[in-house]
Amino acid sequence: MIEKPLTPADVEFVTTLHGEEQESFIVLMQPRGKQDVLLRAIDDVALGEFDEAVREGDETTDELPVERALSHTLASLRDTGAEAVGQVVEDHPIDLLRSVVEQTHADEVIVLTAPHFVEEFFHRDWASRARHKVGVPVLKLFSHAPDEPAKGGS
């Protein structure tokens, strides 16, 4: 599960998690929506990114449209030799995730997002919610800027 396109560092990290094993990814992408503006602003303040907190309510964005962002991520994963398919998630991401895990007999779930301190504190983030529903290990990773090395979460 992702909320924005994977950076090259993120692609490298997730495709090398299991060494030389052939990887197959089903990517579910749900971009952060208007419902999360307050939570994102609080997270920005917690990180000391005050300028970002002020801009959270702005309508303008320089991000790719979600369909192009997903296509970019899938192409980046395939470029490494991995198999990758995906879809944009409109509603109920955890329910869809559970269904995908059951239908595909997935070995694990990777949730790769920016840190969301408020949601994580209250265990309302995707990884915490998924751990109670999907029946396979859930690995939470934090996404990084394109020039930043990838690191794991909890």
Side-chain angles (χ1 to χ4, degrees):
M1 288 203 62
I2 61 173
E3 61 189 6
K4 58 171 89 170
L6 297 184
T7 66
D10 295 333
V11 170
E12 180 182 354
F13 191 57
V14 299
T15 58
T16 60
L17 280 172
H18 299 291
E20 297 297 317
E21 287 182 39
Q22 175 65 30
E23 298 290 338
S24 178
F25 296 91
I26 300 169
V27 179
L28 302 179
M29 181 174 191
Q30 184 180 45
R32 303 290 284 185
K34 286 213 162 287
Q35 71 276 13
D36 298 318
V37 171
L38 177 61
L39 292 176
R40 287 195 317 257
I42 292 169
D43 284 341
D44 290 338
V45 169
L47 290 169
E49 297 173 354
F50 303 110
D51 291 340
E52 290 296 319
V54 170
R55 285 194 290 269
E56 284 298 348
D58 291 349
E59 290 292 322
T60 60
T61 180
D62 59 353
E63 293 181 15
L64 292 172
V66 66
E67 292 82 11
R68 282 189 50 211
L70 177 60
S71 293
H72 171 77
T73 292
L74 295 176
S76 296
L77 290 168
R78 290 180 191 133
D79 286 347
T80 70
E83 296 177 20
V85 296
Q87 72 181 73
V88 174
V89 179
E90 298 295 330
D91 297 307
H92 310 293
I94 302 303
D95 293 339
L96 179 59
L97 180 62
R98 180 179 58 210
S99 175
V100 167
V101 167
E102 289 171 358
Q103 291 172 9
T104 64
H105 306 287
D107 295 324
E108 71 180 344
V109 168
I110 299 172
V111 175
L112 195 142
T113 67
H116 301 295
F117 297 113
V118 174
E119 292 177 35
E120 290 168 23
F121 180 78
F122 291 106
H123 303 283
R124 299 301 308 153
D125 61 299
W126 287 341
S128 296
R129 292 170 37 211
R131 285 184 180 118
H132 299 286
K133 294 212 174 202
V134 298
V136 297
V138 176
L139 179 61
K140 178 169 63 173
L141 304 174
F142 295 131
S143 58
H144 292 80
D147 58 347
E148 200 175 5
K151 297 181 229 172
S154 61

